[in-house]
Amino acid sequence: MKKILIHFICSFLVLTTSVLAQDLNIKRMEPGFHRMEVTHPDGTLQRYVISIPENYDSSTPTPMILGLHYGFNGMRGDNRPEPYWTEGFFNKIYKQAFEPLNAIFLAADSVSGNWQTPENEKALNALWAAVNKTYNIDERKTIVTGYSMGAFGTWHWASKYQDRFAGAFPIAGMPADMNTYRDGVKLLDTDWKIPLYIMHSHVDGLIDIEPTVEYVKMLKEQGKDVTFHELFVLTHHQENLLPEPVGHAVPWIKKIWAKIDAE
């Protein structure tokens, strides 16, 4: 009976993913960088960028990096950023740093406010399912990362969907709810199962590092797999200087993937 139930659940998940992918009509692209857009069944237009490594082989499962972009005017409401806002986020921070990973990089524009809004969860989940259906993704090796608003989003998504990620890499954002953190920081109450690589600057100037310092201390006391990369010279809006420090996370990611391969 248990095996039948597990089979039913797995079949349902596969069917659900297939339906989402079909509804979104994702086009498979050749290696390179691509600006894309898709219209969801409810009429929501979602723009996204996807970078396919030069050595991508559809017969071989490929790791994926899910990137969540930084803030924009109106991110607390139901507004949207300028079209392909996520392209600058990718080019400034991740393109150079993550090239050695040979992974697919997926990053979408927000469809409504910050990454914790129901609209963004629905749209990004559907896009994620479609990309996983269209490309040969090694779903065991998906890493979620983001900067500033995207870091708050990384904390949120990794906490809520731990079973989907091999690790999380938030940069310059608190492990807290972005909608309420200015009214009193309440740190995430999560039993972390996945590795965390946390990057924040002591001279950030916009997002206070102290709650993150407190959280990392707590995680280490609990014996969690956490790496804290503290910066001491970069301010919050110097993201163009991040490729070098972000590149330090590449060995951490490769180690996670190697461990998965060995299991």
Side-chain angles (χ1 to χ4, degrees):
M1 182 67 183
K2 184 177 180 181
K3 289 184 177 180
I4 295 175
L5 180 60
I6 292 174
H7 176 74
F8 173 78
I9 292 172
C10 291
S11 299
F12 175 77
L13 290 174
V14 169
L15 177 62
T16 302
T17 299
S18 299
V19 170
L20 286 170
Q22 184 178 3
D23 285 345
L24 292 184
N25 193 26
I26 294 296
K27 181 180 179 181
R28 184 189 301 174
M29 306 302 292
E30 296 298 318
F33 178 82
H34 306 281
R35 284 174 145 207
M36 308 289 291
E37 66 177 39
V38 63
T39 300
H40 291 259
D42 65 1
T44 298
L45 174 68
Q46 185 175 39
R47 297 182 178 91
Y48 67 98
V49 300
I50 188 166
S51 177
I52 312 296
E54 290 301 321
N55 63 348
Y56 174 72
D57 180 352
S58 60
S59 66
T60 304
T62 300
M64 184 167 74
I65 308 294
L66 176 65
L68 305 178
H69 66 64
Y70 39 56
F72 57 95
N73 290 332
M75 61 185 172
R76 284 179 171 269
D78 59 358
N79 294 327
R80 306 182 60 155
E82 297 175 12
Y84 297 105
W85 184 252
T86 199
E87 181 176 356
F89 155 80
F90 170 70
N91 287 331
K92 288 180 181 180
I93 300 174
Y94 294 103
K95 181 180 179 180
Q96 175 186 339
F98 278 4
E99 187 174 2
L101 291 172
N102 292 314
I104 288 177
F105 194 101
L106 171 67
D109 281 0
S110 163
V111 299
S112 178
N114 68 58
W115 292 111
Q116 294 172 248
T117 65
E119 294 85 356
N120 269 322
E121 288 219 20
K122 180 180 178 181
L124 189 54
N125 269 317
L127 178 63
W128 188 355
V131 170
N132 274 283
K133 178 69 175 179
T134 304
Y135 298 90
N136 191 352
I137 304 294
D138 191 336
E139 296 185 47
R140 305 169 305 155
K141 297 181 180 179
T142 298
I143 302 291
V144 60
T145 184
Y147 179 74
S148 190
M149 181 184 97
F152 280 93
T154 297
W155 282 114
H156 170 75
W157 277 73
S159 175
K160 188 169 183 177
Y161 302 107
Q162 275 199 82
D163 57 325
R164 299 187 187 183
F165 298 112
F169 179 20
I171 307 170
M174 290 182 191
D177 187 335
M178 187 173 184
N179 296 305
T180 60
Y181 83 99
R182 293 189 184 277
D183 303 320
V185 178
K186 182 180 179 181
L187 300 179
L188 291 175
D189 182 14
T190 302
D191 182 15
W192 289 101
K193 309 294 186 185
I194 60 174
L196 301 169
Y197 191 106
I198 302 162
M199 184 178 292
H200 206 151
S201 174
H202 284 269
V203 293
D204 183 288
L206 182 64
I207 306 298
D208 185 9
I209 191 177
E210 289 308 314
T212 302
V213 171
E214 177 185 339
Y215 199 70
V216 169
K217 181 181 178 181
M218 179 188 70
L219 292 179
K220 288 184 175 180
E221 289 173 350
Q222 294 174 355
K224 303 301 183 181
D225 187 347
V226 56
T227 301
F228 190 23
H229 187 160
E230 298 174 77
L231 303 176
F232 294 90
V233 294
L234 271 67
T235 62
H236 194 83
H237 296 294
Q238 291 182 304
E239 64 269 18
N240 59 306
L241 300 179
L242 279 171
E244 191 274 332
V246 167
H248 290 192
V250 168
W252 172 79
I253 295 173
K254 288 184 174 181
K255 183 179 178 181
I256 291 172
W257 290 346
K259 184 176 179 180
I260 290 171
D261 286 335
E263 291 176 348

